[in-house]
Amino acid sequence: MTATDELLTLDGLRVAFGDREVVRGVSLAVRRGRVTALVGESGSGKSVSSLSAIGMAPAGARVSGSARFEGEELVGASDARLRDVRAHRIGVVFQEPARSLTPTARIERVFRDLLRVREGLRDRRAARTRAAELLRAAELRDPERILRSHPHEVSGGELQRVLIAMALSGEPQLLIADEPTTALDVTVQRGILDLLTRLVRERELGVLLITHDMGVVGEIADDVVVLSGGDQVEHGPVADVIGHPREAYTRELLNAVPSIAEGRARAIAARPAEAADPAVQVSDLVVTYGRERRALDRVSIEIARGEVLGVVGESGSGKSTLGRALAGLVTPDDGSVLLGGRDPSALPRDERRALYSRVGIVFQDPASSLNPRRTVGWSIGEPLRIAGGTPAADIDRRVREALERVKLPAAFARRLPHELSGGQRQRVSIARALIADPVLLIADEPTSALDVTIQARVLEVLRDAVAETGLSALFISHDLAVVSLLADRVAVLRAGRLVETGPVAQVLGDPAEDYTRELLASVPDPSRRAA
């Protein structure tokens, strides 16, 4: 590689807000035909570094140092010049595609506005033809359907490809991809990673990949820069950084990546559980949305007392619907659900309510499941107030105990949700789910949007809670590696049907079905390309 191959070069880039410096001296180079990964936990400075370099710094930011694009200095450039560079030479793919698109506008309309700026297309028909071409380049098979859809009418994976297609408009030389696969199913994530790899190879694009996931880095990156708390702690070729990390922080990131091999070893080493009465029995469960689509199609499972059943599958497989059916949040069209041998639908209202009060739920997004205007303590104690019969003093005591159980200080009870990090909020959600001493815990994708190190801490909290209380748990996830570290048995769903089920070591070690093998092959492995 020569200096002329360098597209984006950062040299001692610094970003400050008032007196607080959040990025302190980041230096890196993104070259044609290569992927440079910028890695670190939330708050490490990844996104603010990359966006500040191209003139998209948050309001109030002060940027210094150097950021050159094809030799042209961007720090200090005029707003007009920065807009021109971004419009015609740099494409950006953001983490949450739904927030990048107008929810009330069809995708075709968004493309028309974009292509008018980036490619000067003003003719409506020409813009539609070009949009379809870009969608096909992003490997979307039905561009006409996508163009006439609103964002909520297409899947998360399709939306991410839409953003990649938009970023390709104007034929940019550089793509900045900010957490492009976070919270996506493993097979969808695999497709996005393969697409980025193909674009780099075929178009000689340079890609700046922002991620916290070292598994993703190991799959597609050529060079790696590691940030921690705004400081650059390590950089180099992927084989060196992943294969022979010099810094303790880099080793911590690598060690936090969940491993199916580790999960299988844990399951094999565990003593076989004694036969226990089932806490949950689901027989031939059918749940239909609309007139025809079956979210669950004759699904039958059991969860023993003290057992964790992991449920895996792609989006639309029926995982969350199964959890909602067990919690009484959706009504089955057919089949039965027994909790502790009792059928909630056959009970009087008060008894049914009491039975469901022993079911705790942890949702994927804690920010939306906690009342932003109420303290953390109020939210944790809410299940006890709803159930009634617990004096206020006892509620306060049990809130403190619940916080201690999830390894948070009792003083957090006085804080509001926005004063906590994402991982802390998720632990608050777990505390709320555990406060009523549930017999069944339903955890629906509780770690999918968390950094790997924070994810590891939340998994530890869940493991300890199950071990200490002996409750049963339904752990829903698209991440097979995470499931292997927590579950005793695994159930694999696909399009509403149960594909296979069995112990972790069996299903994830020697799967009987091709679909399970496909899921396993899609799991990112940090050592795959670094070896």
Side-chain angles (χ1 to χ4, degrees):
M1 291 286 177
T2 66
T4 57
D5 293 311
E6 292 187 2
L7 292 169
L8 181 66
T9 305
L10 308 188
D11 187 4
L13 188 74
R14 309 178 83 90
V15 182
F17 293 90
D19 296 331
R20 187 169 68 96
E21 203 166 40
V22 297
V23 175
R24 294 176 290 274
V26 171
S27 299
L28 60 82
V30 184
R31 296 177 170 86
R32 299 181 195 279
R34 293 176 70 85
V35 177
T36 296
L38 195 55
V39 187
E41 297 175 280
S42 294
S44 62
K46 307 184 301 295
S47 295
V48 73
S49 296
S50 58
L51 296 180
S52 296
I54 60 172
M56 296 179 67
R62 187 175 70 257
V63 183
S64 59
S66 176
R68 298 184 302 277
F69 184 78
E70 294 188 313
E72 178 183 356
E73 183 61 64
L74 300 183
V75 174
S78 68
D79 290 343
R81 182 58 188 152
L82 289 169
R83 284 195 298 269
D84 184 66
V85 170
R86 291 196 302 266
H88 300 105
R89 298 156 74 187
I90 299 174
V92 183
V93 181
F94 293 102
Q95 177 178 350
E96 297 184 49
R99 294 189 181 184
S100 301
L101 300 171
T102 306
T104 57
R106 298 185 191 276
I107 291 172
E108 179 184 1
R109 172 61 184 274
V110 182
F111 260 108
R112 283 206 309 270
D113 293 343
L114 178 73
L115 291 171
R116 185 180 300 114
V117 173
R118 290 180 68 99
E119 298 190 5
L121 290 180
R122 300 188 179 278
D123 179 75
R124 185 168 181 165
R125 182 175 298 179
R128 185 178 182 86
T129 300
R130 175 59 172 156
E133 177 185 326
L134 291 168
L135 290 172
R136 282 191 288 270
E139 298 177 353
L140 284 162
R141 297 177 182 176
D142 190 357
E144 295 301 322
R145 174 182 64 84
I146 299 293
L147 288 172
R148 64 175 177 265
S149 300
H150 290 87
H152 71 273
E153 295 175 308
V154 299
S155 71
E158 288 175 327
L159 276 184
Q160 196 60 279
R161 289 177 185 270
V162 167
L163 281 199
I164 293 173
M166 291 179 172
L168 293 175
S169 65
E171 300 294 335
Q173 292 90 50
L174 172 71
L175 280 186
I176 297 177
D178 191 351
E179 299 279 12
T181 62
T182 296
L184 295 179
D185 297 339
V186 286
T187 50
V188 177
Q189 176 179 257
R190 163 59 51 202
I192 297 296
L193 295 178
D194 289 346
L195 171 61
L196 288 173
T197 301
R198 180 180 65 78
L199 291 172
V200 169
R201 182 181 67 252
E202 294 180 357
R203 300 186 177 217
E204 280 289 296
L205 287 172
V207 174
L208 179 59
L209 174 68
I210 302 163
T211 183
H212 64 262
D213 191 334
M214 294 298 274
V216 170
V217 170
E219 289 283 340
I220 71 168
D222 299 295
D223 306 290
V224 186
V225 176
V226 182
L227 298 186
S228 175
D231 294 314
Q232 183 169 318
V233 297
E234 188 161 358
H235 71 279
V238 66
D240 293 344
V241 173
I242 289 183
H244 308 284
R246 299 188 308 272
E247 301 296 325
Y249 178 71
T250 308
R251 291 192 290 273
E252 181 184 357
L253 288 179
L254 286 165
N255 291 336
V257 176
S259 162
I260 289 179
E262 180 186 347
R264 287 180 56 221
R266 176 198 65 82
I268 293 169
R271 291 193 316 173
E274 298 180 4
D277 294 333
V280 177
Q281 293 169 285
V282 176
S283 301
D284 290 328
L285 196 67
V286 175
V287 176
T288 304
Y289 292 146
R291 293 184 177 180
E292 298 180 355
R293 190 174 81 81
R294 283 193 171 186
L296 293 175
D297 191 357
R298 300 293 172 191
V299 170
S300 298
I301 61 162
E302 287 190 355
I303 308 176
R305 297 186 189 278
E307 179 183 58
V308 179
L309 176 67
V311 180
V312 301
E314 298 171 283
S315 293
S317 63
K319 305 186 301 293
S320 294
T321 299
L322 177 60
R324 293 186 184 111
L326 296 189
L329 300 178
V330 298
T331 302
D333 298 287
D334 200 1
S336 64
V337 174
L338 300 182
L339 302 178
R342 306 173 75 192
D343 181 355
S345 66
L347 296 177
R349 179 182 177 185
D350 288 347
E351 291 185 42
R352 183 169 64 249
R353 182 176 178 180
L355 183 60
Y356 280 132
S357 72
R358 302 297 304 281
V359 177
I361 307 177
V362 182
F363 294 103
Q364 177 176 354
D365 182 7
S368 62
S369 61
L370 298 174
N371 190 327
R373 294 184 176 86
R374 295 286 192 172
T375 65
V376 162
W378 186 94
S379 292
I380 293 174
E382 186 177 18
L384 297 179
R385 288 193 299 277
I386 291 174
T390 304
D394 285 349
I395 291 177
D396 291 341
R397 174 182 56 80
R398 290 176 67 173
V399 166
R400 292 193 297 271
E401 292 173 351
L403 283 167
E404 291 170 2
R405 177 176 286 173
V406 298
K407 300 178 176 59
L408 289 176
F412 273 40
R414 297 189 294 272
R415 296 191 181 186
L416 292 169
H418 75 268
E419 298 176 296
L420 276 60
S421 70
Q424 289 169 338
R425 285 195 294 265
Q426 194 58 286
R427 282 191 264 176
V428 167
S429 294
I430 295 170
R432 181 176 61 183
L434 295 175
I435 195 168
D437 297 323
V439 295
L440 173 64
L441 178 69
I442 299 171
D444 190 354
E445 299 277 12
T447 64
S448 64
L450 300 177
D451 294 343
V452 286
T453 50
I454 298 171
Q455 174 180 263
R457 295 171 201 143
V458 171
L459 288 175
E460 181 184 358
V461 166
L462 286 169
R463 275 196 300 267
D464 291 347
V466 171
E468 291 169 7
T469 64
L471 55 76
S472 304
L474 183 77
F475 184 74
I476 299 167
S477 180
H478 64 263
D479 192 328
L480 278 71
V482 167
V483 167
S484 75
L485 294 174
L486 188 67
D488 301 298
R489 290 189 306 115
V490 182
V492 183
L493 293 182
R494 184 182 193 184
R497 295 189 176 187
L498 183 64
V499 174
E500 68 175 301
T501 185
V504 165
Q506 172 190 316
V507 175
L508 301 186
D510 186 21
E513 298 295 328
D514 288 342
Y515 177 67
T516 309
R517 286 190 282 271
E518 179 186 349
L519 291 177
L520 286 165
S522 299
V523 177
D525 182 352
S527 64
R528 190 170 287 158
R529 289 179 68 236

